[in-house]
Amino acid sequence: MRCASWRFAGEANNLAPWKTVPEECAGYVRDYMTGKAYRFDLEMAAKETLVYARSLKIADDGKDAWVFDIDETLLSNLPYYSDHAFGLEIFNGQEFDKWVEKASAPAIESSWKVYEEILGLGFKIFLLTGRSERHHNVTVENLKRAGFRDWQKLILRESHDHGKTATMYKSERRQEIASDGYRILGNSGDQWSDLLGYSPSSRSFKLPNPMYFIP
Amino acid sequence: MRCASWRFAGEANNLAPWKTVPEECAGYVRDYMTGKAYRFDLEMAAKETLVYARSLKIADDGKDAWVFDIDETLLSNLPYYSDHAFGLEIFNGQEFDKWVEKASAPAIESSWKVYEEILGLGFKIFLLTGRSERHHNVTVENLKRAGFRDWQKLILRESHDHGKTATMYKSERRQEIASDGYRILGNSGDQWSDLLGYSPSSRSFKLPNPMYFIP
């Protein structure tokens, strides 16, 4: 398998759904995530996000909104995934929860810059995460520790959201944001399930992530 | 600029809209298109398309449909673009028309295989192209010469479609297909404007194309 083609197919959403990184691409994905390429790809996505955000006219009514996913979008779980073969292992929810509860995921630096500028432009920020409501406090703690501030609302999965696909759960919540009168002008996420579905943003930005796929 | 990151951002639809390949990526795009990488990326997309297509149950009513774009999806315009700097030049409609009228674009081989198998599985095939109605006959001639056969309908832009974005034009036509009772289960295209918008397919496949962007 040519792993660069596998990664392209993943980022273009052609592979969906996939469970783990193919074994023969383990080294490729590790090198990508830990070398310069991942950082460059993130920076390019950040640059294009800001070109778009700056081009918008922000209204005076405080209703222009930007939605950010959290994991692999604002916060990096690379310290966790470097202990779990960068996506080669089947996802282990219990192990991952222990990591989440440490509240020590670092900021993705390019995303932190995007976040600050989007805040400064006057957008209201909605954080829409697949994390569970019971991780509300550790998530707030982690976000603040990583330098994120001033969000309008942090939305986590409630008990009735479990079992829904991320696409469905996130679409429902975007629709609620819109029905509160907000105009969702931008949406940043590392999964297509952050971006597709109904009540979509005017424009979406897909951050790279070859380690896992969430439907 | 790191051209691999630029290409990733294009394929993930983060760059949109863009007019030409950045000058510093001219060599990169030429090497990509003429070397093995483009072919491998096409083959991976084809493989995943068939994994999905084979997984579907085809109904007996002849209403399961697959939509294909034509240019850079079924037919390759590489002979034209190799004379026009692989996307470094601003698109020249008159020059491109002369090329279209030759009816000599070769098949993208991996797409031809996908097409044949999808036909064999029992799908009805709809060809939905941004080409103009006045190129109907040369397009049929070119498709047949390249080995494509047995499509249900070839849909080209009519006079009232000019000035519409491809996203809007193609959404309208997909909706017409659906209102004729067809279930659009698959859609293959090299542009996001082939795949996004309303009345979308159950699942879409994005073929690589770093040479141009159609909104």
Side-chain angles (χ1 to χ4, degrees), chain B residues 49-101:
Chain B
T49 305
L50 289 177
V51 166
Y52 167 70
R54 288 170 195 152
S55 78
L56 298 170
K57 264 216 165 135
I58 307 299
D60 292 331
D61 61 2
K63 291 294 192 182
D64 289 315
W66 199 287
V67 175
F68 286 98
D69 168 59
I70 293 180
D71 292 296
E72 265 57 67
T73 299
L74 297 183
L75 298 179
S76 170
N77 297 306
L78 260 183
Y80 174 82
Y81 283 101
S82 73
D83 290 339
H84 291 83
F86 297 100
L88 197 68
E89 292 177 10
I90 293 268
F91 181 73
N92 183 326
Q94 286 174 318
E95 282 293 303
F96 189 72
D97 282 356
K98 282 188 217 164
W99 158 253
V100 165
E101 285 154 18

Side-chain angles (χ1 to χ4, degrees), chain A residues 44 47-48, chain B residues 1-8 10-11 15 17-33 78 81-82 84-91 191 208-214:
Chain A
M44 177 71 77
K47 187 186 143 209
E48 295 302 323
Chain B
M1 181 180 287
R2 211 173 149 275
C3 296
S5 292
W6 174 81
R7 187 165 76 87
F8 159 74
E11 295 299 0
L15 292 181
W18 54 278
K19 279 216 155 45
T20 56
V21 170
E23 225 173 296
E24 60 264 51
C25 297
Y28 173 89
V29 171
R30 183 196 59 230
D31 292 350
Y32 172 76
M33 293 303 296
L78 260 183
Y81 283 101
S82 73
H84 291 83
F86 297 100
L88 197 68
E89 292 177 10
I90 293 268
F91 181 73
Q191 299 288 320
N209 184 0
M211 298 191 298
Y212 57 85
F213 172 84
I214 298 173

Side-chain angles (χ1 to χ4, degrees), chain A residues 1-2 5-6 8-9 11-17 37 40-41 44-45 47-48 192 203-208, chain B residues 1-2 5-6 8-9 11-17 37 40-41 44-45 47-48 192 203-208:
Chain A
M1 181 180 289
R2 212 174 149 276
S5 292
W6 174 80
F8 159 75
E11 295 300 0
N13 207 27
N14 292 342
L15 291 181
F40 278 127
D41 286 356
M44 177 71 77
K47 187 186 143 209
E48 295 302 323
W192 281 104
R203 201 166 143 193
S204 294
F205 294 89
K206 167 75 175 74
L207 276 58
Chain B
M1 181 180 287
R2 211 173 149 275
S5 292
W6 174 81
F8 159 74
E11 295 299 0
N13 206 26
N14 293 342
L15 292 181
F40 278 127
D41 286 357
M44 177 71 77
K47 187 186 144 209
E48 296 301 324
W192 282 103
R203 202 166 143 194
S204 294
F205 295 89
K206 166 74 175 75
L207 276 58

Side-chain angles (χ1 to χ4, degrees), chain A residues 105-161:
Chain A
I108 291 179
E109 187 151 327
S110 52
S111 295
W112 181 82
K113 286 180 193 156
V114 166
Y115 187 101
E116 279 293 305
E117 183 161 341
I118 280 178
L119 200 55
L121 286 167
F123 286 93
K124 292 290 188 286
I125 291 180
F126 290 80
L127 305 180
L128 179 48
T129 175
R131 290 183 177 200
S132 166
E133 185 62 41
R134 74 195 155 83
H135 287 137
H136 184 278
N137 292 349
V138 289
T139 300
V140 169
E141 184 190 340
N142 198 152
L143 286 164
K144 288 190 171 169
R145 190 184 288 176
F148 297 99
R149 61 186 180 95
D150 288 354
W151 53 82
Q152 183 76 6
K153 200 171 182 183
L154 166 61
I155 305 167
L156 304 98
R157 259 184 214 258
E158 296 176 50
S159 54
H160 62 270
D161 295 317

